[in-house]
């Protein structure tokens, strides 16, 4: 009986939580580490596959750092070892080319509201040949081939379909435009301030996501200052617990930088003016907060922060 | 006076029903916090080698909160005449340390040691998850006072005051 599942450390919380639940039910789960660029090591994946591996789940595009995993290669490995491959493609749909044959996916999770569709609807792609079987999510009337009983929410489903259709038409144009905006944002910020680090691989990344760390400036205080811009932070203060983002930790980001990250999301409706405004606000706030930062002051005086013995709390 | 006011407040909450509901919207900042963030008071630095300046450096970058609070003492009276701060931390941390610098000015060193984090938290209406910020501010005040007392003791102790740099920077113990 298959009792082993392989996934990564940077998966979305929904996948990680489900895996944790599986562990409580007696399954064994391997969480693959990622490199500092956010990509998994394919050789490591090969080594971890066991005869009783029942599922490999790797997300296509990471929601926090925007890194695109090498899904094609992973798919090939899964084919070789004949293990079902599940990918969380919620952030990939409508943004990068999704080819279930090339990727060799057996199961793919999709989300409606990530492609400008309605909230409350998602989809699970299930491969026909070779057929993959799943346990019903809900029992009852037998809708959706018995997998998810309950009346299909027509308006939501039609909305998602329409969103997908639009996405198919607009994808290429969107990508070009958003790439330009991303460069504009990054260069705009880098021109005016230093100490900016991009979290995650720069080449294997979705263009609409930019996760930046501003040295010596804490994430939540920056969020407070960027009132007009909808961004999020991976810092501890913004999560309910005091732990910084697990994705950044998996990347191996230094502790003092883990609290400094900000995620910018660029989409179909972002305009150039908005990018410029975001650059302007960010630069202004970062400079102001650096003036207030004792770490920045210490660095300017030439003190090596890593040498200091901090009083833990 | 602050002690009295806070005791009264704490006494009240055990007897009376609070006039406004408690913490239904934990995500909103109190206007005091936003005020201190947008118009921070007393950001800056004093010369830490000055024998009348006490520096309290608390927190850790790993925790996401570092506060540096400095106080300037008047040599004769022993009262705090000026204070400034620098903080690496969230809005609540910045506000807590800003409030701390405001409250210590004009007080004697013994008086400021009685400032409690609960008072700071009350003033800023900090939600439970942010209470550690006010705790850190209280620690920073104590550390700064300890530092300047050490310096003054050293001065009185030996005539050749080499009270300046220590070879390795050490953060004060809370």
């Amino acid at each position: 009986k298959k009792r082993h599942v392989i996934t990564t450390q940077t998966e979305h919380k929904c996948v990680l939580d489900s895996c944790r639940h599986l562990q409580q039910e007696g399954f064994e789960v391997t969480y693959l580490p990622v490199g500092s660029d956010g990509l998994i090591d394919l050789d490591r994946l090969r080594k971890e596959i066991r005869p009783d591996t029942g599922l490999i789940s790797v997300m296509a595009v990471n929601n926090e750092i925007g890194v695109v995993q090498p899904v094609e290669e992973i798919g090939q490995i899964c084919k070789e070892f004949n293990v079902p491959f599940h990918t969380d493609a919620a952030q990939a749909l409508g943004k990068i080319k999704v080819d279930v044959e090339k990727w060799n996916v057996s199961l793919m999770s999709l989300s409606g509201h990530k492609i400008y569709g309605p909230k409350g609807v998602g989809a699970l792609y299930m491969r026909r040949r070779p057929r993959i079987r799943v346990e019903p999510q809900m029992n009852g009337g037998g809708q959706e081939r018995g997998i998810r009983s309950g009346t299909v929410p027509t308006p939501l489903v039609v909305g998602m379909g329409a969103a997908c259709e639009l996405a198919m038409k607009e994808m290429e144009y969107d990508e070009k435009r958003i790439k330009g905006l991303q460069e504009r944002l990054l260069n705009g910020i880098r021109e005016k301030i230093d100490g900016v680090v991009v979290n995650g691989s720069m080449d294997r990344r979705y263009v609409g996501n930019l996760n930046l760390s501003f040295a010596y400036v804490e994430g939540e205080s920056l969020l407070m200052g960027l009132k007009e811009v909808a961004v999020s932070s991976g810092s501890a203060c913004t999560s309910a617990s005091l732990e910084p983002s697990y994705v950044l930790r998996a990347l191996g980001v230094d502790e003092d930088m883990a609290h400094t990250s900000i995620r910018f999301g660029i989409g179909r409706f972002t305009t150039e003016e908005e990018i410029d405004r975001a650059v302007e606000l960010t630069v202004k706030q970062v400079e102001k907060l650096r003036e207030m930062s004792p770490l920045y002051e210490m660095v300017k005086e030439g003190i090596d922060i890593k040498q200091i013995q901090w009083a833990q709390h | 006076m602050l002690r009295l006011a806070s005791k009264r407040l704490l006494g009240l909450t055990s007897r009376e029903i609070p006039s406004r509901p408690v913490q239904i919207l934990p995500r909103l900042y109190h206007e005091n916090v936003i005020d201190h963030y947008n118009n921070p008071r007393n950001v800056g630095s004093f010369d830490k080698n000055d024998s009348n300046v006490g520096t309290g450096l608390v927190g850790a970058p790993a925790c996401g909160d570092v506060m540096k609070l400095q106080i300037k003492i008047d040599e004769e009276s022993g009262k705090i005449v000026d204070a400034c701060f620098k903080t690496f931390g969230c809005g609540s941390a910045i506000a807590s340390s800003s409030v701390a610098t405001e409250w210590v000015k004009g007080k004697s060193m013994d008086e400021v040691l009685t400032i409690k984090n609960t008072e700071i938290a009350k003033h800023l209406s900090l939600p439970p998850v942010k209470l550690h910020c006010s705790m850190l501010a209280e620690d920073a005040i104590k550390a700064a006072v300890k530092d300047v007392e050490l310096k003054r003791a050293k001065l009185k102790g030996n005539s050749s005051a080499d009270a300046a740099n220590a070879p390795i920077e050490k953060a004060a113990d809370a």
Side-chain angles (χ1 to χ4, degrees):
Chain A
K1 264 225 123 175
K2 310 275 187 183
R3 305 296 295 179
H4 183 225
V5 175
I6 300 180
T7 182
T8 69
Q9 281 178 3
T10 52
E11 291 292 305
H12 192 268
K13 214 150 193 219
C14 58
V15 173
L16 290 181
D17 245 26
S18 309
C19 287
R20 216 133 280 164
H21 188 80
L22 282 178
Q23 275 181 296
Q24 281 172 350
E25 296 199 344
F27 283 80
E28 278 176 48
V29 182
T30 303
Y31 301 92
L32 288 174
V34 291
S36 62
D37 57 357
L39 301 169
I40 61 163
D41 184 359
L42 294 165
D43 294 318
R44 182 79 185 258
L45 171 63
R46 262 178 209 278
K47 284 202 205 102
E48 298 285 349
I49 296 181
R50 304 177 344 198
D52 67 342
T53 302
L55 183 68
I56 294 181
S57 175
V58 179
M59 70 192 326
V61 176
N62 186 286
N63 56 314
E64 202 169 323
I65 49 182
V67 162
V68 181
Q69 297 288 350
V71 268
E72 256 188 62
E73 287 87 336
I74 300 175
Q76 290 311 312
I77 296 179
C78 293
K79 199 179 214 164
E80 217 184 291
F81 289 88
N82 202 13
V83 181
F85 179 28
H86 164 258
T87 179
D88 176 0
Q91 295 283 0
L93 186 64
K95 302 193 170 86
I96 60 170
K97 267 192 157 21
V98 173
D99 186 333
V100 292
E101 286 307 323
K102 255 205 227 157
W103 291 6
N104 190 43
V105 287
S106 310
L107 292 161
M108 186 162 69
S109 304
L110 308 164
S111 178
H113 67 274
K114 296 272 190 279
I115 45 169
Y116 309 102
K119 270 194 177 151
V121 62
L124 177 67
Y125 163 80
M126 293 169 53
R127 176 173 278 274
R128 274 229 177 112
R129 283 184 245 281
R131 180 171 238 123
I132 182 99
R133 292 181 199 281
V134 296
E135 260 184 42
Q137 187 190 29
M138 279 193 280
N139 289 304
Q143 287 88 345
E144 301 278 344
R145 297 173 194 275
I147 309 261
R148 191 269 197 198
S149 295
T151 306
V152 177
T154 323
L156 295 177
V157 170
V158 170
M160 185 170 174
C164 288
E165 206 181 310
L166 275 174
M168 196 147 80
K169 287 193 206 142
E170 305 275 341
M171 193 160 79
E172 216 181 299
Y173 174 73
D174 270 349
E175 198 189 322
K176 273 199 217 102
R177 202 184 75 94
I178 293 176
K179 183 147 180 64
L181 290 177
Q182 187 201 45
E183 280 170 4
R184 200 188 171 97
L185 179 62
L186 188 56
N187 295 336
I189 292 181
R190 280 217 155 121
E191 271 171 15
K192 309 261 178 64
I193 44 181
D194 61 343
V196 177
V197 176
V198 179
N199 294 315
S201 154
M202 231 6 242
D203 346 286
R204 292 213 56 127
R205 134 193 305 271
Y206 167 57
V207 293
N209 172 302
L210 198 57
N211 191 303
L212 300 175
S213 270
F214 298 97
Y216 324 117
V217 172
E218 207 262 346
E220 203 222 351
S221 50
L222 191 50
L223 279 189
M224 259 180 98
L226 294 176
K227 277 281 155 211
E228 291 170 34
V229 191
V231 290
S232 65
S233 166
S235 84
C237 283
T238 51
S239 72
S241 79
L242 293 178
E243 294 277 315
S245 145
Y246 61 87
V247 173
L248 289 179
R249 245 191 307 146
L251 286 182
V253 168
D254 267 339
E255 280 180 327
D256 54 346
M257 289 294 271
H259 294 275
T260 63
S261 76
I262 298 281
R263 179 188 75 167
F264 293 89
I266 308 170
R268 188 184 288 165
F269 304 110
T270 318
T271 64
E272 266 190 12
E273 291 87 42
E274 286 169 349
I275 295 276
D276 291 337
R277 184 88 182 110
V279 169
E280 195 190 317
L281 277 175
T282 311
V283 169
K284 198 170 85 169
Q285 284 305 322
V286 168
E287 282 178 344
K288 175 176 158 205
L289 285 165
R290 277 191 175 159
E291 281 306 303
M292 287 211 272
S293 167
L295 300 176
Y296 191 54
E297 187 189 44
M298 284 195 242
V299 163
K300 282 244 150 120
E301 288 175 356
I303 304 174
D304 185 3
I305 301 183
K306 301 209 203 289
Q307 292 299 326
I308 304 182
Q309 297 157 291
W310 298 100
Q312 285 303 319
H313 223 276
Chain B
M1 190 179 120
L2 216 55
R3 229 178 314 168
L4 214 60
S6 60
K7 276 213 186 115
R8 219 183 294 143
L9 278 168
L10 291 170
L12 265 180
T13 52
S14 60
R15 274 185 280 128
E16 242 177 76
I17 309 163
S19 52
R20 54 181 166 85
V22 186
Q23 308 297 354
I24 19 169
L25 300 166
R27 294 234 152 217
L28 288 185
Y29 289 110
H30 192 256
E31 55 187 20
N32 281 348
V33 177
I34 301 186
D35 182 33
H36 276 276
Y37 176 82
N38 287 326
N39 314 305
R41 335 304 199 220
N42 312 314
V43 175
S45 274
F46 299 141
D47 176 14
K48 62 174 180 278
N49 299 322
D50 186 339
S51 53
N52 290 324
V53 169
T55 307
L57 183 63
V58 294
C63 302
D65 264 323
V66 176
M67 284 187 198
K68 185 178 86 152
L69 192 117
Q70 287 178 309
I71 50 176
K72 195 174 261 179
I73 311 283
D74 174 51
E75 267 193 61
E76 285 142 36
S77 63
K79 283 199 172 211
I80 299 173
V81 290
D82 205 1
C84 68
F85 81 98
K86 281 212 174 189
T87 297
F88 166 84
C90 60
S92 307
I94 294 175
S96 298
S97 36
S98 177
V99 161
T101 56
E102 279 196 319
W103 284 1
V104 301
K105 279 194 191 175
K107 298 212 168 75
S108 74
M109 291 196 279
D110 296 318
E111 256 186 285
V112 301
L113 284 177
T114 63
I115 294 179
K116 289 241 129 275
N117 67 310
T118 42
E119 293 163 8
I120 303 177
K122 191 94 194 187
H123 179 78
L124 297 169
S125 299
L126 293 181
V129 64
K130 292 287 178 198
L131 284 180
H132 67 284
C133 296
S134 59
M135 189 80 232
L136 210 59
E138 185 192 322
D139 288 346
I141 298 176
K142 294 201 162 76
V145 167
K146 194 163 155 188
D147 182 51
V148 79
E149 278 181 343
L150 249 146
K151 279 189 182 164
R152 278 150 68 91
K154 253 194 188 164
L155 265 179
K156 289 197 195 118
N158 44 352
S159 43
S160 60
D162 201 18
N165 316 311
I168 304 175
E169 276 266 348
K170 248 194 167 190
D173 267 302

